[in-house]
Amino acid sequence: MNAGIDFEGDDTEDSTSENVAELLELQLSEIEMLSSMFPNKGEFVIDDPAGIKNVQEFLKGSIKYEYLHSRLGFTIHVSPEGTKLSVELVCNFPHDYPNVSPTVFTRCPLMSRENHKRLQEDLHQYIQSLDRGEICMYSVVEWIQEHLQNYTQEEDTQSPVETKQKREEDGTLTRLWIYSHHIYSKFKRRDIIDWAGELKLTGFSLPGKPGIICAEGYSRNVDEYWHRLRNLNWKRLCVKEKEDKEIGDDDISKHRKFPDFEEKVFGVRGGKGREYHMDFGQLSEFLSEHGCGHIFSIYFGVDGKGGGATDS
């Protein structure tokens, strides 16, 4: 991420509210409660212990809110009785939680793609049904414990090692081209990059207005990436193009357009208020260099060769 460019926007997690200190105190209390409920090693893991310290410093008045760049995040390993599978429940708290929903997703490499998709969607629907203003992660854990067996019946009869390899390498490379009205939030920008790394995706993200994300990798992982992104708070987020290529057992690196995943910045220029725009002529050249020149017209309706394309 280009640390020298500080995009700001209207995302919920970047907004300052009068009761943000009270909300952050609730978050710290909930994390303390969860850590006591899952005391065994590896059951409850804080993403960044320094993040807790930063929040505590803010609550003591040692730092201003504008310098609080951390969110509280953690992973809970849930292993319900009656099933051979376990689930990693990954959670991040926006600063406005519990007035807004937490960002929650699951990791379960031994679960089939179809079952995991159903689990994710049903869990998201359950979280959205909960009353806002109340901490909810214990209820989320209970829901997983009570319902996980509904998504694991097929997997229980298969070899864990063979199943894991099959699930992770599904024989199809997918390249997803995503359009966002804007990408300003420092938290979204971090998640876009971190999740791509976790899911072994390559591609790039382009912050500003509009925002562009390209993610390529095994189909299952790209689907998971899209699921996580669309469950964040966006003004507009849509898929402009999806490319699928059957590669069988071939080395996936031979079929990627990009060697890694990075945030790109092309000739930043200011717009109205806090808006920032990129030089789309440079974007067009970058896409052409990677054999994706046709994508520019899919996004903007012009070929971009003149360098004067503008967003709508």
Side-chain angles (χ1 to χ4, degrees):
M1 183 180 297
N2 285 272
I5 299 176
D6 184 19
F7 293 99
E8 296 294 342
D10 56 2
D11 301 288
T12 300
E13 63 267 44
D14 278 338
S15 61
T16 306
S17 59
E18 294 180 359
N19 63 342
V20 67
E22 178 182 346
L23 297 175
L24 290 173
E25 287 178 347
L26 284 173
Q27 294 180 23
L28 288 176
S29 297
E30 183 170 23
I31 286 178
E32 183 178 356
M33 177 189 72
L34 291 169
S35 63
S36 65
M37 292 172 54
F38 298 92
N40 297 329
K41 184 177 180 180
E43 280 188 323
F44 182 84
V45 181
I46 297 293
D47 291 349
D48 181 15
I52 291 182
K53 183 178 179 181
N54 288 338
V55 170
Q56 292 171 336
E57 291 297 315
F58 163 72
L59 294 175
K60 290 190 299 183
S62 301
I63 60 174
K64 295 181 179 180
Y65 179 73
E66 61 187 286
Y67 299 113
L68 182 62
H69 300 312
S70 300
R71 285 180 301 179
L72 301 180
F74 53 86
T75 300
I76 303 176
H77 294 255
V78 184
S79 300
E81 296 182 2
T83 176
K84 299 177 182 178
L85 296 184
S86 62
V87 171
E88 291 184 0
L89 194 63
V90 183
C91 177
N92 279 288
F93 287 157
H95 287 171
D96 285 343
Y97 170 79
N99 286 350
V100 300
S101 301
T103 300
V104 179
F105 57 88
T106 60
R107 287 196 292 250
C108 189
L110 299 186
M111 187 179 291
S112 72
R113 178 178 175 181
E114 295 76 15
N115 282 346
H116 190 244
K117 181 179 180 181
R118 287 196 302 117
L119 171 64
Q120 294 272 56
E121 292 176 347
D122 292 349
L123 176 60
H124 178 68
Q125 184 176 6
Y126 171 72
I127 292 173
Q128 294 304 311
S129 73
L130 298 173
D131 293 334
R132 299 280 72 86
E134 302 289 337
I135 60 176
C136 67
M137 284 308 301
Y138 178 68
S139 297
V140 172
V141 172
E142 279 193 322
W143 188 92
I144 289 288
Q145 292 174 329
E146 293 174 4
H147 294 86
L148 183 62
Q149 62 182 357
N150 299 332
Y151 307 89
T152 62
Q153 294 176 356
E154 296 178 5
E155 282 74 17
D156 287 342
T157 61
Q158 300 175 3
S159 165
V161 175
E162 293 178 357
T163 300
K164 181 176 181 180
Q165 182 177 4
K166 178 181 177 182
R167 302 312 183 200
E168 290 183 342
E169 301 181 2
D170 51 23
T172 302
L173 177 141
T174 292
R175 187 175 301 108
L176 206 62
W177 297 92
I178 302 169
Y179 173 95
S180 171
H181 179 270
H182 64 264
I183 302 176
Y184 296 140
S185 165
K186 55 182 172 288
F187 296 121
K188 281 194 179 77
R189 292 167 66 196
R190 184 183 68 184
D191 288 342
I192 288 168
I193 294 174
D194 289 351
W195 290 344
E198 175 194 337
L199 295 168
K200 302 177 182 179
L201 304 181
T202 54
F204 69 95
S205 64
L206 187 74
K209 181 181 180 182
I212 294 174
I213 303 170
C214 171
E216 60 179 5
Y218 284 112
S219 180
R220 171 189 171 96
N221 292 344
V222 173
D223 286 351
E224 167 68 14
Y225 188 66
W226 169 242
H227 175 84
R228 296 184 190 182
L229 289 179
R230 67 184 176 88
N231 283 332
L232 298 176
N233 179 47
W234 301 90
K235 183 171 183 179
R236 183 188 176 196
L237 187 76
C238 64
V239 173
K240 283 288 189 178
E241 182 78 347
K242 182 179 181 181
E243 302 172 283
D244 290 321
K245 182 177 183 180
E246 296 298 327
I247 61 174
D249 297 328
D250 202 7
D251 183 357
I252 192 173
S253 62
K254 298 178 181 178
H255 304 275
R256 296 182 188 268
K257 297 287 189 181
F258 303 91
D260 50 24
F261 194 99
E262 60 181 338
E263 182 177 271
K264 303 297 294 185
V265 176
F266 300 112
V268 178
R269 56 185 175 84
K272 296 179 181 179
R274 295 175 295 182
E275 293 181 0
Y276 284 86
H277 305 271
M278 297 293 175
D279 184 320
F280 294 138
Q282 293 183 31
L283 170 62
S284 178
E285 293 177 4
F286 172 75
L287 292 174
S288 296
E289 290 171 358
H290 289 82
C292 304
H294 66 287
I295 293 295
F296 192 92
S297 61
I298 292 176
Y299 274 100
F300 304 108
V302 294
D303 60 19
K305 293 179 180 179
T310 60
D311 56 77
S312 57

